[in-house]
């Protein structure tokens, strides 16, 4: 789960960088979208890099979901008798946020693919231009709202997930290191969430032509 999660973090940073290209204008974003389809030619066929990323993401998704289900079953099977009373605390909150937030993110990924990749779901009108598709979608407040809600769940998932991955990989060797891990998880989560939210709100408020 930790390894697949770190793979997703790397992809999210790259995806966030690509999304921010819309701030440079329609032509720059369309050129970027075209470039990732032709990257590596002629050594790679058209969309070759995209398919490599898709296969890697699918494998990481299967590993992440399977690991999560396995850990959930292990936690439930660790006690033959349920607790009579649970004490409220951050541990229970984060556990629920990771499980239900993960399911919400899985649903959002399906919606995101149908929206921007397959265009079976549209917000506004269908467009051949990737930039026009993005700008039209985020010109509607409810379209921005959907993505803002998804980023909230993503932030909660990352905040605990990065910390948990570092612990799993044995990086917590002292109280000082534990604090560094906590601060690192906050910084990375903030960068990703804010980076993904900048384009939708910039478009909604008319800052992107």
């Amino acid at each position: 789960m930790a390894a697949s999660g770190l793979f997703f973090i790397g992809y999210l940073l790259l995806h966030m960088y690509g999304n921010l290209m819309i701030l440079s204008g329609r032509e720059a974003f369309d050129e970027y979208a075209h470039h990732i389809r032709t990257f590596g030619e002629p050594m790679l066929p058209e969309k070759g890099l995209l398919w490599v990323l898709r296969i890697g993401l699918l494998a990481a998704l299967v590993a992440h979901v399977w690991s999560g289900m396995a850990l959930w079953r292990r936690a439930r099977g660790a006690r033959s008798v349920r607790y009579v009373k649970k004490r409220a605390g951050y541990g229970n909150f984060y556990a629920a946020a990771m499980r239900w937030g993960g399911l919400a993110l899985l649903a959002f990924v399906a919606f995101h693919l149908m929206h921007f990749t397959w265009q079976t779901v549209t917000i506004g009108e269908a467009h051949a231009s990737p930039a026009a598709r993005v700008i039209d979608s985020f010109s509607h407040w409810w379209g921005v709202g959907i993505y803002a809600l998804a980023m909230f769940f993503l932030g909660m998932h990352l905040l605990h997930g990065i910390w948990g991955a570092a612990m799993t990989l044995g990086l917590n060797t002292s109280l000082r290191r534990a604090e560094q891990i906590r601060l690192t998880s906050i910084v990375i989560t903030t960068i990703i969430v804010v980076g993904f939210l900048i384009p939708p709100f910039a478009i909604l408020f008319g800052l992107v032509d």
Side-chain angles (χ1 to χ4, degrees):
M1 174 164 264
S4 58
L6 291 176
F7 179 83
F8 279 123
I9 290 171
Y11 174 76
L12 285 170
L13 289 169
L14 289 173
H15 192 19
M16 178 197 72
Y17 170 78
N19 284 3
L20 290 171
M21 292 294 291
I22 195 68
L23 301 178
S24 299
R26 293 173 182 257
E27 291 185 2
F29 189 81
D30 281 341
E31 183 179 353
Y32 152 77
H34 174 73
H35 184 66
I36 61 175
R37 285 168 171 78
T38 59
F39 186 87
E41 289 186 343
M43 296 296 291
L44 292 175
E46 185 178 355
K47 296 184 180 180
L49 177 65
L50 281 177
W51 278 108
V52 170
L53 285 174
R54 287 167 179 169
I55 293 171
L57 286 169
L58 181 60
L61 180 63
V62 171
H64 206 68
V65 172
W66 179 84
S67 299
M69 293 177 64
L71 289 172
W72 182 68
R73 287 195 301 267
R74 185 184 299 176
R76 288 179 62 88
R79 288 183 59 86
S80 58
V81 179
R82 304 282 291 176
Y83 285 112
V84 175
K85 182 179 180 181
K86 286 186 178 181
R87 180 180 298 176
Y90 287 111
N92 294 330
F93 173 77
Y94 276 125
M98 290 295 286
R99 291 169 185 168
W100 296 109
L103 291 175
L105 287 175
L106 193 60
F108 172 74
V109 168
F111 170 79
H112 185 65
L113 289 171
M114 290 188 291
H115 180 201
F116 281 127
T117 303
W118 304 324
Q119 294 194 74
T120 53
V121 174
T122 58
I123 298 177
E125 300 179 2
H127 299 276
S129 163
R133 199 179 311 156
V134 170
I135 291 174
D136 192 3
S137 297
F138 293 138
S139 295
H140 299 79
W141 67 266
W142 55 275
V144 175
I146 291 173
Y147 278 82
L149 181 62
M151 290 306 104
F152 169 77
F153 284 116
L154 177 62
M156 295 299 298
H157 205 74
L158 287 175
L159 193 61
H160 186 62
I162 295 171
W163 180 86
M167 297 297 177
T168 299
L169 297 174
L171 300 180
N172 180 28
T173 57
S174 65
L175 290 175
R176 180 181 179 184
R177 182 59 60 84
E179 181 64 13
Q180 291 173 345
I181 292 172
R182 186 183 72 84
L183 293 176
T184 300
S185 66
I186 293 173
V187 170
I188 294 176
T189 298
T190 302
I191 290 173
I192 291 176
V193 171
V194 173
F196 271 106
L197 287 178
I198 286 174
F201 281 98
I203 292 169
L204 181 66
F205 294 125
L207 302 178
V208 176
D209 185 9

